[in-house]
Amino acid sequence: QVQLVESGGGLVQAGGSLRLSCAASARTFDSYTMGWFRQAPGKEREFVAAIRWNSGSTDYADSVKGRFTISRDNAKKTVVLRMNSLKPEDTANYYCAANLRGIRLRDGTVYDYWGQGTQVTVSS
C-alpha cells in the first residue's frame, strides 16, 4: 500500500517556476515507478512525466520536455517535479502516481496509487 501526498502547487506568473513534491508512505518506495499526470477543467487527464524504479530513466510529454524535470529521492521517499518556463497551458491539477510494473508509463491505467492532487495556476 502506498499513500501519496502532493504539495507545492500555487499561482505563478507565466515564465515562472514551481516545484511540486510527492511524499510517499511506502517503505518500498524505491520499488515503484513514479509518474506525474495533470488534468485541467473539462479536459482529460494527461501524462506529464515519469521515472522508472529500476533504471531511473525518465520520460516526458512533448509539451513539457525541456521545461520540466522529474527526479526522486528514495531516502526521503519523495518524487519531485520541477517546472520551469511555465505557460498558462500548464494550468491544471497535478497528480503523482505509483506503479510496480514500470511499463506503459504514459498510460494512467497502469498506475496503482494516486495522490489527491495539487493545483497549479499560471497567469498570463
Side-chain angles (χ1 to χ4, degrees), residues 7 10 18-19 22 24-25 28-29 53 55 75 84 86 102 106 119:
S7 63
L18 282 175
R19 179 183 183 272
C22 177
S25 64
T28 56
F29 173 78
W53 69 266
S55 66
N84 298 318
L86 283 163
R106 301 188 175 200
Q119 177 68 36

Side-chain angles (χ1 to χ4, degrees), residues 40-63:
K43 306 296 182 181
E44 294 185 347
R45 180 182 60 196
E46 65 175 347
F47 168 79
V48 177
I51 183 167
R52 296 183 185 274
W53 69 266
N54 53 354
S55 66
S57 63
T58 58
D59 190 25
Y60 297 92
D62 290 340
S63 60

Side-chain angles (χ1 to χ4, degrees), residues 18-77:
L18 282 175
R19 179 183 183 272
L20 305 184
S21 296
C22 177
S25 64
R27 176 180 295 179
T28 56
F29 173 78
D30 57 348
S31 297
Y32 286 84
T33 290
M34 303 296 298
W36 284 96
F37 294 77
R38 67 187 183 187
Q39 186 170 29
K43 306 296 182 181
E44 294 185 347
R45 180 182 60 196
E46 65 175 347
F47 168 79
V48 177
I51 183 167
R52 296 183 185 274
W53 69 266
N54 53 354
S55 66
S57 63
T58 58
D59 190 25
Y60 297 92
D62 290 340
S63 60
V64 306
K65 189 176 182 63
R67 299 189 298 119
F68 291 11
T69 302
I70 187 171
S71 62
R72 65 190 298 161
D73 187 330
N74 291 338
K76 296 181 179 180
K77 300 179 180 180

Side-chain angles (χ1 to χ4, degrees), residues 4-9 20-23 36 94-97 114-118:
L4 304 174
V5 180
E6 304 96 333
S7 63
L20 305 184
S21 296
C22 177
W36 284 96
Y94 283 71
Y95 302 86
C96 66
W114 292 82
Q116 294 186 345
T118 185

